[in-house]
Amino acid sequence: MLNGLPVELLYEIQLFSTSSELPLVSSRLYQIFRAAPPVYAATFLSEKISKDHGAHQLDAARVLTYALRYPICSDTVFDVLCQLPPVSNSSPGAILRPELPRRLFRTLSPKKTWKSRHRPLPFLRHLYKDPHILPDTNAYDGYALVKATVSGFTDLVEFLLDNGASPKMKDNLAALVAIRAKNLQMLKLLVEPKRDPLRRGKRKKMDDRMELTPAMAHAAAKSGANDILNWMVQEKGCKLEMRTLLI
């Protein structure tokens, strides 16, 4: 029955029901909703979020947080959503801090060659273009940075760090991942702040993003990452525990 209905009526039915399962009824419906214009997709997300979470309880950042969890929230859909209430009603100059969804990073896994065009980096660059929207890179205990580190996606790690991600989250887990992977360059990227290559003259010493601990040195020793251990001790002055000296 649904397969024979006009597209416009199917759109109305889904907006009324706010059903995420309707596109799965048949291949025709799936293709119809997959090809839906961004304005419709943004309207559907707005209606569904309001119905599921209560419109009176939602501020603009929370709406964007929930919307970003849905795969249909592409860059164009996100832009349209920002033009709808309550996001469009935000105070002038207000900075919105939605959470980065785990779905963007969940499937990342180690590969030999990462390119800046690989997902989710293009989408993230789009999100951070608006100076009034600054997604929280440390959401879910720094999940994004840890997954990027596990995958060895250097450009993504650098982007997250540049936008406020902290390697200290979850007891320095991202740094421990780099150590156990014997990836000295990744560890340096996590620890040492980025320096401006165009700046001339004497450079002011910048504090590291995090302090290297004896427990990290022990992890390096156990992993057989001698180059990391030497760098931690000789260049960073990391202290060693007795148990580490006995390895």
Side-chain angles (χ1 to χ4, degrees):
M1 179 177 176
L2 288 173
N3 281 328
L5 294 178
V7 172
E8 294 77 10
L9 184 54
L10 289 172
Y11 286 168
E12 290 296 327
I13 291 173
Q14 192 187 35
L15 286 178
F16 179 77
S17 65
T18 62
S19 170
S20 300
E21 288 72 35
L22 183 59
L24 305 179
V25 169
S26 69
S27 59
R28 178 178 180 268
L29 265 61
Y30 177 80
Q31 294 301 326
I32 286 174
F33 286 108
R34 185 180 183 185
V39 172
Y40 170 78
T43 304
F44 169 76
L45 284 176
S46 180
E47 293 292 330
K48 182 167 182 58
I49 291 167
S50 295
K51 183 176 180 180
D52 290 352
H53 302 282
H56 63 285
Q57 298 178 354
L58 294 175
D59 58 19
R62 213 74 197 133
V63 168
L64 295 180
T65 291
Y66 289 131
L68 285 168
R69 294 175 183 175
Y70 289 86
I72 65 169
C73 189
S74 63
D75 50 1
T76 50
V77 171
F78 184 84
D79 290 346
V80 174
L81 193 64
C82 291
Q83 299 170 20
L84 301 176
V87 182
S88 62
N89 295 336
S90 300
S91 303
I95 306 296
L96 303 182
R97 297 277 289 164
E99 298 172 352
L100 279 183
R102 283 175 285 198
R103 71 172 180 87
L104 296 176
F105 311 94
R106 189 174 289 121
T107 60
L108 291 177
S109 58
K111 62 190 301 183
K112 289 184 178 180
T113 305
W114 283 104
K115 303 290 185 182
S116 59
R117 67 176 184 273
H118 288 154
R119 292 182 293 179
L121 199 44
F123 181 64
L124 291 176
R125 287 187 176 127
H126 185 85
L127 290 183
Y128 285 85
K129 283 198 309 184
D130 190 331
H132 297 109
I133 298 177
L134 187 62
D136 182 9
T137 50
N138 291 310
Y140 308 107
D141 293 324
Y143 182 85
L145 185 61
V146 171
K147 287 293 291 183
T149 303
V150 169
S151 67
F153 197 163
T154 302
D155 287 349
L156 179 56
V157 170
E158 188 170 2
F159 179 87
L160 293 170
L161 291 170
D162 288 345
N163 286 282
S166 172
K168 297 179 182 179
M169 299 298 294
K170 209 164 185 180
D171 297 325
N172 311 311
L173 181 56
L176 287 170
V177 167
I179 290 170
R180 288 166 182 156
K182 303 182 182 181
N183 192 335
L184 177 57
Q185 293 307 312
M186 182 66 77
L187 182 61
K188 286 183 176 181
L189 181 61
L190 292 169
V191 173
E192 297 179 337
K194 189 176 182 179
R195 302 183 186 279
D196 186 356
L198 300 179
R199 185 174 180 179
R200 298 181 179 180
K202 187 176 181 180
R203 296 181 178 179
K204 182 180 178 180
K205 184 176 180 181
M206 301 173 66
D207 293 335
D208 288 340
R209 292 191 180 96
M210 60 183 298
E211 181 181 352
L212 296 171
T213 66
M216 294 180 188
H218 185 71
K222 285 189 67 176
S223 300
N226 294 328
D227 57 339
I228 291 179
L229 185 61
N230 291 336
W231 173 75
M232 293 176 68
V233 173
Q234 297 173 12
E235 295 193 29
K236 296 300 178 181
C238 184
K239 304 298 183 182
L240 298 182
E241 300 172 320
M242 182 58 68
R243 59 174 182 158
T244 305
L245 296 172
L246 296 175
I247 292 179

